[in-house]
Amino acid sequence: YNLSRNDKLAKRDQAILELLCGSGLRVSELVSLTLQDIPSSQRILKIYGKGKKERLVPYSLRTKASS
């Protein structure tokens, strides 16, 4: 976690980096995520990748804690 940043976007940026590194998402998949793709009760993302194929991608507790 980047403790040197105190701006209001630091938490968002950390969650983005955790998702990209920890789950193997492509940047295009990450930017197309909506809140409906992130169920709050599970640690699984519904991703629409190449060819509009749907896949379920788990993410870590560390990622969830940074969001």
Side-chain angles (χ1 to χ4, degrees):
Y1 193 77
N2 189 351
L3 297 176
S4 63
R5 286 188 55 194
N6 295 321
D7 60 287
K8 59 184 175 182
L9 298 179
K11 198 170 187 179
R12 180 209 62 182
D13 293 348
Q14 186 65 35
I16 288 171
L17 290 173
E18 292 284 345
L19 273 172
L20 286 173
C21 295
S23 65
L25 289 179
R26 296 175 186 92
V27 172
S28 60
E29 294 171 337
L30 178 69
V31 298
S32 66
L33 277 176
T34 65
L35 290 176
Q36 290 79 19
D37 299 328
I38 308 170
S40 60
S41 61
Q42 303 168 351
R43 289 189 349 257
I44 295 186
L45 302 171
K46 191 185 300 183
I47 303 298
Y48 297 94
K50 294 180 178 179
K52 303 289 183 201
K53 292 182 183 174
E54 180 184 310
R55 65 187 173 111
L56 299 176
V57 176
Y59 60 93
S60 69
L61 287 173
R62 181 177 176 168
T63 301
K64 186 171 183 156
S66 68
S67 61

